[in-house]
Amino acid sequence: MSHPWSLVYMDCLQLEVPSDAKLVYMDPPYGPVGEDTYFGVGKDLPEYLTYMAERIAHVTSGLKDFNFVLQVNWRASHYLKVEVDKILGRGNFRNEIVWGFSSPSVAKRHIPRKHDVLLWWGVGDYMFNPLRVPHKSGFSVARKTSWPGDDHDPLTYTDRGKLIEDWRTDIPSLCRNEE
């Protein structure tokens, strides 16, 4: 069975992204060699940022109406956001999504760093299907006869669920150093 998507593990400069791609997701090295123990690239931050900008520009060139999601860590997220804003346009930035996870920590001089960041840009007429999850608080409102964009939905706020937030704790963590 063929799928309309593929997962690629390679230097994306060698990749030809189909011009009708609707989503590009990158889980790149998280920093220069001294900061990313397993996959670091470049001798320092400027070299790393140049490496990343070249690849991001390559995989997004020629695309229109698409989503671009970049998974990074706390140390690189703000630098890479500025670089991608230069490539895709600051106005196309949609969300910073925090992916929190729990695992043992040996931190002694700071609060354990237990999250990655997913930076999301939506370009052109990008696809977006809002996800809803059940309420945990038991919050409820009276039945309504209309909702924005859905004129005849009689569901209550509780029945309908709530939009997901820009933080996630229900995604299992991954171990980057395993093959």
Side-chain angles (χ1 to χ4, degrees), residues 153-171:
D153 185 350
L155 295 177
T156 66
Y157 189 62
T158 302
D159 294 336
R160 191 177 174 128
K162 64 181 181 117
L163 291 173
I164 61 169
E165 284 94 2
D166 62 355
W167 52 272
R168 308 298 306 164
T169 57
D170 56 350
I171 304 170

Side-chain angles (χ1 to χ4, degrees), residues 7-16 26-27 51 55:
L7 180 63
V8 180
Y9 182 79
M10 63 189 290
D11 186 339
C12 60
L13 286 180
Q14 303 165 15
L15 181 65
E16 290 185 36
M26 291 180 74
D27 181 6
Y51 171 93
R55 281 151 181 82

Side-chain angles (χ1 to χ4, degrees), residues 74-111:
W74 61 274
R75 194 180 297 241
S77 64
H78 46 290
Y79 296 105
L80 286 170
K81 182 188 179 304
V82 170
E83 292 301 314
V84 181
D85 280 347
K86 292 176 189 175
I87 297 165
L88 299 180
R90 186 171 178 254
N92 289 318
F93 183 71
R94 301 293 168 234
N95 279 96
E96 173 183 82
I97 303 159
V98 175
W99 169 13
F101 44 85
S102 180
S103 57
S105 175
V106 295
K108 291 184 172 57
R109 298 184 49 87
H110 57 81
I111 297 170

Side-chain angles (χ1 to χ4, degrees), residues 59-138:
V59 298
T60 59
S61 69
L63 299 181
K64 64 178 200 160
D65 304 331
F66 68 99
N67 289 286
F68 177 72
V69 178
L70 181 65
Q71 180 180 337
V72 292
N73 72 2
W74 61 274
R75 194 180 297 241
S77 64
H78 46 290
Y79 296 105
L80 286 170
K81 182 188 179 304
V82 170
E83 292 301 314
V84 181
D85 280 347
K86 292 176 189 175
I87 297 165
L88 299 180
R90 186 171 178 254
N92 289 318
F93 183 71
R94 301 293 168 234
N95 279 96
E96 173 183 82
I97 303 159
V98 175
W99 169 13
F101 44 85
S102 180
S103 57
S105 175
V106 295
K108 291 184 172 57
R109 298 184 49 87
H110 57 81
I111 297 170
R113 298 176 182 118
K114 296 297 179 179
H115 76 276
D116 278 350
V117 177
L118 303 173
L119 301 172
W120 166 35
W121 288 260
V123 178
D125 188 17
Y126 63 95
M127 182 182 296
F128 176 64
N129 296 315
L131 297 175
R132 294 185 176 273
V133 294
H135 289 282
K136 292 182 182 176
S137 66

